C-alpha cells in the first residue's frame, strides 16, 4: 500500500489531496515536526533533505512534492490528473508544475525560513527578508490570477482538473496570514478567491482538512 509521510498543513497536503482524488488506499505516517522527527536518522534514510513529504510506493521511496504528484498522475492514468503525454497541454502542465515548485514554493520557503538567508541572526534583517519574499510572492500570485482570468477557469489548466490544482491550492493557503499592506494574500484576489472556494468544495479537500485536523480559516 502507498504510504505518505506527512505533517498537517505541510507540503504533504497537496499529495494527500491528490491521493483522495485518486480514491486509492494509502496509509498516512506522521512525521512529527513538534519533535523534529524530520531530522531523525530513520527519516533521513528516506529523505536525506529532512523535508516533508515522502511517498513510499512498493520499493520506490520518493521525495519532492512535484515529483510525487507527477508519479501519482502517471501511475493512475485513468484518473486523468495530468494531460496526455506529448501533447501541448502536457507541456503547459509541466510549465506550471515546475513554476509552482521552483518559483512560488521556493519563494514561500524563503518567507517561511528567513533565518536561513542570513549569516547572523538579526531581527531587522529577518523582517526585511520576509517582507521582500512577500513582495515577490505577491507578484507571483498575480501570474496565477492572470492565468485563471485568461483561461476562464474553473481550474489552473482551464476545464481540466489536474494535480496542479491541489498544489496551487496548498501554496495559496500558505499566504493566508500575509500582511495585505505588503502583498495581498491569495484569498483576497478576485480570480483566486473563487478558485480557492471551488477547491474547498471538493470532497478531497474536505477530507484532508478533517484527517489532518486543520481548523478554519482554510485559506
Ligand atoms: N522541495 C521540497 C520542499 C519540501 C519542504 O520544504 N517541506 C517543508 C514542510 S512544508 C519541510 O519539510 N520543512 C522542514 C525543514 O525545512 O526543516 C518538496 O517540494 O518536497
Amino acid at each position: 500500500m502507498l504510504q505518505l509521510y506527512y505533517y498537517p498543513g505541510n507540503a504533504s497536503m497537496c499529495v494527500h489531496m491528490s491521493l483522495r482524488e485518486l480514491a486509492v488506499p494509502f496509509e498516512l505516517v506522521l512525521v512529527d515536526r513538534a519533535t523534529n522527527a524530520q531530522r531523525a536518522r530513520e527519516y533521513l534514510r528516506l529523505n536525506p533533505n529532512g523535508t516533508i513529504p515522502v511517498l513510499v510506493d512498493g520499493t520506490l521511496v520518493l521525495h519532492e512534492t512535484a515529483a510525487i504528484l507527477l508519479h501519482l498522475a502517471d501511475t493512475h492514468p485513468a484518473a486523468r490528473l495530468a494531460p496526455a503525454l506529448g501533447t501541448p497541454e502536457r507541456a503547459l502542465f509541466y510549465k506550471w508544475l515546475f513554476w509552482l515548485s521552483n518559483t512560488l514554493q521556493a519563494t514561500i520557503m524563503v518567507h517561511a525560513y528567513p533565518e536561513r538567508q542570513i549569516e547572523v541572526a538579526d531581527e531587522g534583517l529577518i523582517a526585511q527578508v520576509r517582507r521582500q519574499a512577500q513582495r515577490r510572492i505577491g507578484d507571483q500570485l498575480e501570474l496565477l490570477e492572470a492565468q485563471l482570468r485568461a483561461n476562464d477557469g474553473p481550474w489552473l489548466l482551464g476545464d481540466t482538473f489536474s494535480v496542479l490544482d491541489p498544489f496551487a491550492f496548498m501554496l495559496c493557503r500558505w499566504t493566508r496570514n500575509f500582511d495585505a499592506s505588503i502583498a495581498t494574500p491569495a484569498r483576497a484576489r478576485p480570480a483566486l478567491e473563487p478558485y480557492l472556494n471551488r477547491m474547498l468544495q471538493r470532497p478531497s479537500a474536505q477530507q484532508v482538512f478533517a484527517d489532518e485536523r486543520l481548523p478554519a480559516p482554510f485559506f
Side-chain angles (χ1 to χ4, degrees):
M1 194 196 296
L2 293 166
Q3 285 182 312
L4 173 63
Y5 286 75
Y6 86 109
Y7 187 77
N10 275 206
S12 43
M13 186 187 176
C14 62
V15 179
H16 191 180
M17 269 185 77
S18 301
L19 286 164
R20 287 285 176 207
E21 290 284 341
L22 292 173
V24 290
F26 65 93
E27 183 192 346
L28 285 175
V29 183
L30 180 70
V31 184
D32 191 359
R33 292 193 61 180
T35 60
N36 243 3
Q38 78 278 13
R39 299 272 166 210
R41 190 182 309 226
E42 64 222 56
Y43 187 72
L44 292 177
R45 268 199 288 273
L46 299 175
N47 181 358
N49 297 287
T51 53
I52 298 163
V54 162
L55 183 82
V56 178
D57 182 1
T59 55
L60 175 72
V61 178
L62 199 57
H63 61 79
E64 293 314 303
T65 307
I68 295 171
L69 293 174
L70 195 51
H71 173 70
L72 287 175
D74 287 350
T75 48
H76 300 84
R80 296 177 179 272
L81 289 185
L85 268 179
T87 59
E89 291 76 19
R90 181 74 169 207
L92 294 173
F93 166 84
Y94 288 141
K95 177 186 81 170
W96 283 110
L97 186 66
F98 281 96
W99 183 84
L100 287 171
S101 176
N102 70 19
T103 301
L104 183 54
Q105 187 183 5
T107 316
I108 294 177
M109 287 302 140
V110 174
H111 183 262
Y113 305 106
E115 70 285 355
R116 294 181 184 173
Q117 307 300 318
I118 53 179
E119 271 184 357
V120 182
D122 176 304
E123 287 310 314
L125 270 182
I126 285 178
Q128 202 180 106
V129 170
R130 292 195 99 210
R131 275 197 307 275
Q132 182 60 5
Q134 205 172 309
R135 281 187 204 103
R136 290 174 56 217
I137 294 162
D139 293 344
Q140 292 161 6
L141 291 178
E142 200 45 50
L143 296 184
L144 273 185
E145 267 285 306
Q147 167 69 3
L148 287 167
R149 274 199 302 266
N151 70 14
D152 216 11
W155 311 117
L156 198 54
L157 292 180
D159 289 337
T160 312
F161 182 85
S162 73
V163 289
L164 296 176
D165 294 299
F167 200 2
F169 176 68
M170 177 189 81
L171 296 176
C172 286
R173 177 174 186 273
W174 290 350
T175 71
R176 67 192 181 284
N177 295 324
F178 271 18
D179 176 349
S181 70
I182 300 173
T184 307
R187 62 176 159 72
R189 291 174 184 258
L192 278 166
E193 195 256 321
Y195 169 73
L196 297 174
N197 267 314
R198 278 194 291 281
M199 285 299 297
L200 188 61
Q201 300 314 312
R202 293 186 78 91
S204 63
Q206 300 286 328
Q207 189 72 57
V208 166
F209 281 115
D211 289 351
E212 298 194 8
R213 297 201 170 99
L214 291 167
F218 298 118
F219 58 81

